[in-house]
């Protein structure tokens, strides 16, 4: 064994203690840490590959000197950019143990890891109000969850047309139509990846003043296909205004037209945890495939999402990995290697399992309901001041707003940059209804009313500054 490695084996405990001290300091300082690292992020010039390693303790210290200050406060309470979850205490502990046990959740073989993942998926299914017919797997994020669901949809199109896309390729399908109202950008990325092409997506009319699809427009588009099977991507929680398609009305159209219903509920699925908001995802159980992110509103560390489908047989057709040393998929409970894009897979179920075991449905409902209340509070701050104005009503956990005066792309971006540079808040620039604006997304378990007030004050000050 290399001497540096042998020495670390002897001092494993001390190395982990040093890492733990660093983690505790980072977590303690999170609320006060600047939300975004000032550019340039690298604090020293790039270094060459070390020939002789320094050993774990010295390497950890080097990381602290060179990189730690350059990391953002994205796990903290005032990072409101994109839709960013933090990581609950139990989830962080779980993530440490993922690396410790270093399981490869390919198959059942010699470990209970796959059963732990199955139990986690069962808990998640219950959390989102899905039934036992929805089976699934954990993947790296909602982009991969959408891609997996759409891959199964692609196989279903083949089944309708009497071809196996898994064997013959996407060209065997001819022209493919994917219909959606306000699809997330990851859907077009998935269509590109799957060989269906970004051009397969037809964007449908939305309801007036909304980001939800006009179901009559969807029906008309389906009628035009003249019986040709299609894929419908319904959206449960759009990123600008958190609008929800009417899933029940969309699902009912299947009595008249053949289509696969995929629902992108990356963070919107968590509305199911709040009795006052669960109606927004009514009908989710009728979907053929469902995408939900876990590193957003479940507050587990990156990277984790879940995908569900009612057609595991088709999923196995797509992802089957035939090798002499692997059991063939047995139909009832196939190994994960036959279900997901990856072959080797980390035990990313463990942080999700631990946070659900630690805080339960009620604990996670509290996070969701608090975040919704905080979004409303932030919306009230925006609406009651004179520097900013709302671009849309606050429907759930995202506030879409802009400058009260002359909101150009440049001025809006400058306000976001100034607020982030002050260390107070990260928000994401967007365009809504043709107007440049900003989004503040509440999905971190740590965020409280004082964070909302600090964030709103910093943004209003930056907006007034930009106006003078
Ligand atoms: C975040 C998000 C995605 C993509 O998720 P990743 O985890 O970044 O891959 C897809 N759809 C919606 C609605 C999202 O909010």
């Amino acid at each position: 064994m290399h001497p540096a490695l042998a020495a670390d084996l002897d001092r494993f405990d001390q190395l982990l203690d040093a890492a733990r001290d660093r983690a505790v300091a980072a977590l303690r300082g999170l609320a006060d840490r600047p939300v975004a690292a000032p550019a340039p992020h690298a604090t020293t010039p790039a270094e060459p590959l070390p020939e002789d390693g320094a050993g774990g303790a010295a390497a950890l210290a080097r990381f602290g000197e060179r990189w730690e200050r350059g990391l953002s406060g994205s796990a903290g309470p005032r990072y409101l950019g994109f839709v960013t979850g933090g990581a609950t205490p139990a989830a962080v502990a779980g993530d440490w143990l993922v690396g410790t046990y270093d399981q490869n959740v390919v198959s059942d073989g010699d470990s209970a890891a796959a059963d732990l993942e199955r139990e986690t998926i069962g808990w998640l299914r219950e959390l989102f109000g899905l039934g036992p017919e929805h089976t699934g797997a954990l993947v790296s994020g909602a982009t991969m969850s959408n891609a997996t669901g759409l891959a199964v949809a692609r196989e279903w199109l083949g089944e309708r047309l009497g071809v196996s896309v898994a064997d013959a390729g996407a060209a065997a399908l001819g022209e493919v139509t994917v219909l959606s109202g306000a699809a997330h950008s990851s859907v077009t990325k998935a269509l590109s990846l799957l060989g269906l092409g970004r051009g397969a997506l037809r964007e449908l009319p939305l309801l007036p003043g909304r980001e939800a699809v006009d179901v009559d427009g969807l029906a008309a588009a389906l009628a035009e296909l003249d019986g040709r099977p299609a894929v419908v991507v319904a959206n449960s929680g759009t990123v600008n205004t958190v609008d929800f398609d009417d899933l029940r009305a969309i699902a009912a159209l299947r009595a008249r037209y053949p289509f696969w219903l995929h629902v992108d509920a990356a963070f919107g699925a968590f509305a199911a945890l709040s009795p006052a908001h669960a109606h927004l995802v009514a009908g989710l159980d009728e979907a053929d495939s469902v995408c939900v992110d876990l590193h957003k509103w479940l507050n587990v560390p990156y990277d984790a999402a879940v995908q569900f489908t009612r057609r595991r047989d088709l999923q196995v057709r797509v992802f089957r990995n035939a090798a002499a040393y692997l059991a063939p998929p047995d139909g009832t409970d196939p190994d994960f290697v036959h279900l997901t894009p990856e072959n080797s897979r980390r035990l990313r179920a463990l942080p999700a399992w631990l946070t659900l075991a630690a805080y339960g449905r009620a604990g996670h409902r509290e996070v969701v309901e608090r975040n919704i209340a905080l979004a409303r509070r932030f919306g009230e701050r925006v609406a009651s001041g004179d520097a900013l104005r709302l671009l849309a009503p606050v429907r759930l956990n995202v506030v879409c707003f802009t400058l009260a005066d002359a909101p150009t792309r440049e001025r809006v971006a400058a306000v976001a940059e100034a607020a982030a540079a002050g260390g107070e808040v990260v928000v994401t620039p967007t365009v809504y209804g043709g107007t440049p604006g900003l989004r503040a997304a509440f999905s971190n378990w740590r965020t409280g009313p004082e964070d909302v007030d600090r964030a709103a004050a910093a943004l209003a000050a930056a907006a007034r500054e930009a106006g003078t």
Side-chain angles (χ1 to χ4, degrees), residues 236 242-247 268 271 276-282 395-396:
S236 286
V242 202
D243 212 338
F244 288 78
D245 289 348
D246 183 341
L247 299 180
H277 299 90
H279 66 277
L280 295 168
V281 285
R395 288 199 186 85
L396 204 67

Side-chain angles (χ1 to χ4, degrees), residues 84-162:
T84 305
T88 64
V92 171
D95 208 59
W96 285 9
L97 295 180
V98 174
T100 302
Y101 288 104
D102 199 20
Q103 304 287 289
N104 184 1
V105 197
V106 171
S107 58
D108 285 284
D110 48 21
S111 167
D115 283 332
L116 190 156
E117 180 164 340
R118 288 191 189 99
E119 179 165 286
T120 308
I121 291 162
W123 287 0
L124 292 166
R125 181 166 58 207
E126 233 182 293
L127 202 61
F128 305 129
L130 301 175
E133 280 168 26
H134 275 109
T135 61
L138 295 201
V139 290
S140 58
T143 300
M144 200 44 90
S145 178
N146 276 331
T148 302
L150 292 171
V152 182
R154 186 184 63 177
E155 200 62 23
W156 176 84
L157 289 173
E159 184 182 64
R160 300 287 303 200
L161 300 171

Side-chain angles (χ1 to χ4, degrees), residues 106 148 151-152 154-155 163-169 311-331 334-344:
V106 171
T148 302
V152 182
R154 186 184 63 177
E155 200 62 23
V163 296
S164 166
V165 178
D167 293 327
R311 290 295 306 272
R312 179 131 81 177
D313 59 324
L314 297 180
Q315 184 165 350
V316 168
R317 241 196 262 170
V318 177
F319 295 106
R320 177 167 46 99
N321 190 71
Y325 53 88
L326 289 171
D330 67 7
D335 288 338
F336 283 106
V337 68
H338 301 302
L339 293 174
T340 57
E342 306 89 354
N343 277 1
S344 295

Side-chain angles (χ1 to χ4, degrees), residues 83 140-144 146 184 186 237 239 264 266-267 291 293 295-296:
V83 179
S140 58
T143 300
M144 200 44 90
N146 276 331
H184 188 265
S186 62
V239 288
D264 181 351
F267 63 97
C291 153
D293 236 330
H295 53 220
K296 287 177 181 163

Side-chain angles (χ1 to χ4, degrees), residues 7-382:
D8 271 0
L9 178 58
D10 284 342
R11 290 192 302 247
F12 218 143
D13 293 12
Q14 290 98 309
L15 182 60
L16 290 183
D17 281 342
R20 177 189 174 283
D21 290 347
R22 224 165 248 289
V24 167
L27 290 170
R28 287 230 173 96
L30 198 50
D32 299 315
R33 183 192 191 95
V35 287
H41 303 302
T43 45
T44 54
E47 286 182 356
L49 168 71
E51 188 53 43
D52 287 305
L60 205 53
R62 202 82 191 98
F63 159 74
E65 287 157 23
R66 293 198 54 218
W67 296 108
E68 214 165 29
R69 263 182 305 137
L71 303 182
S72 78
S74 58
R78 280 169 288 107
Y79 193 97
L80 310 178
F82 309 99
V83 179
T84 305
T88 64
V92 171
D95 208 59
W96 285 9
L97 295 180
V98 174
T100 302
Y101 288 104
D102 199 20
Q103 304 287 289
N104 184 1
V105 197
V106 171
S107 58
D108 285 284
D110 48 21
S111 167
D115 283 332
L116 190 156
E117 180 164 340
R118 288 191 189 99
E119 179 165 286
T120 308
I121 291 162
W123 287 0
L124 292 166
R125 181 166 58 207
E126 233 182 293
L127 202 61
F128 305 129
L130 301 175
E133 280 168 26
H134 275 109
T135 61
L138 295 201
V139 290
S140 58
T143 300
M144 200 44 90
S145 178
N146 276 331
T148 302
L150 292 171
V152 182
R154 186 184 63 177
E155 200 62 23
W156 176 84
L157 289 173
E159 184 182 64
R160 300 287 303 200
L161 300 171
V163 296
S164 166
V165 178
D167 293 327
L173 290 176
E175 197 188 328
V176 169
T177 304
V178 180
L179 301 167
S180 191
H184 188 265
S185 54
S186 62
V187 168
T188 41
K189 182 172 182 168
L191 294 175
S192 163
L193 174 71
L194 294 170
L196 299 175
R198 293 174 195 267
L201 180 68
R202 262 187 62 193
E203 297 211 47
L204 299 172
L206 304 174
L207 294 172
R210 299 274 305 271
E211 285 189 303
V213 73
D214 178 345
V215 179
D216 292 337
L218 171 60
L222 287 164
E224 269 174 43
L225 295 176
D226 240 354
R228 217 158 37 83
V231 177
V232 171
V233 176
N235 302 296
S236 286
T238 55
V239 288
N240 270 340
T241 69
V242 202
D243 212 338
F244 288 78
D245 289 348
D246 183 341
L247 299 180
R248 284 217 174 112
I250 294 172
L253 292 175
R254 284 187 300 197
R256 283 192 277 153
Y257 310 104
F259 63 90
W260 178 274
L261 177 56
H262 174 77
V263 180
D264 181 351
F267 63 97
F270 286 83
L273 275 71
S274 162
H277 299 90
H279 66 277
L280 295 168
V281 285
L284 188 64
D285 189 38
E286 296 184 57
D288 297 299
S289 52
V290 177
C291 153
V292 187
D293 236 330
L294 303 181
H295 53 220
K296 287 177 181 163
W297 228 349
L298 190 66
N299 279 267
V300 297
Y302 293 102
D303 42 19
V306 61
Q307 60 76 216
F308 294 103
T309 181
R310 289 169 165 276
R311 290 295 306 272
R312 179 131 81 177
D313 59 324
L314 297 180
Q315 184 165 350
V316 168
R317 241 196 262 170
V318 177
F319 295 106
R320 177 167 46 99
N321 190 71
Y325 53 88
L326 289 171
D330 67 7
T332 54
D333 228 349
D335 288 338
F336 283 106
V337 68
H338 301 302
L339 293 174
T340 57
E342 306 89 354
N343 277 1
S344 295
R345 310 165 64 247
R346 73 201 309 262
L347 183 52
R348 60 167 61 85
L350 183 52
W353 187 93
L354 265 166
T355 199
L356 291 170
Y359 315 117
R361 191 200 297 267
H364 282 277
R365 178 198 303 141
E366 190 278 330
V367 172
V368 166
E369 292 186 329
R370 172 157 44 92
N371 285 157
I372 295 170
L374 293 173
R376 224 167 269 152
R377 180 184 180 105
F378 185 89
E380 283 157 15
R381 294 283 181 283
V382 165

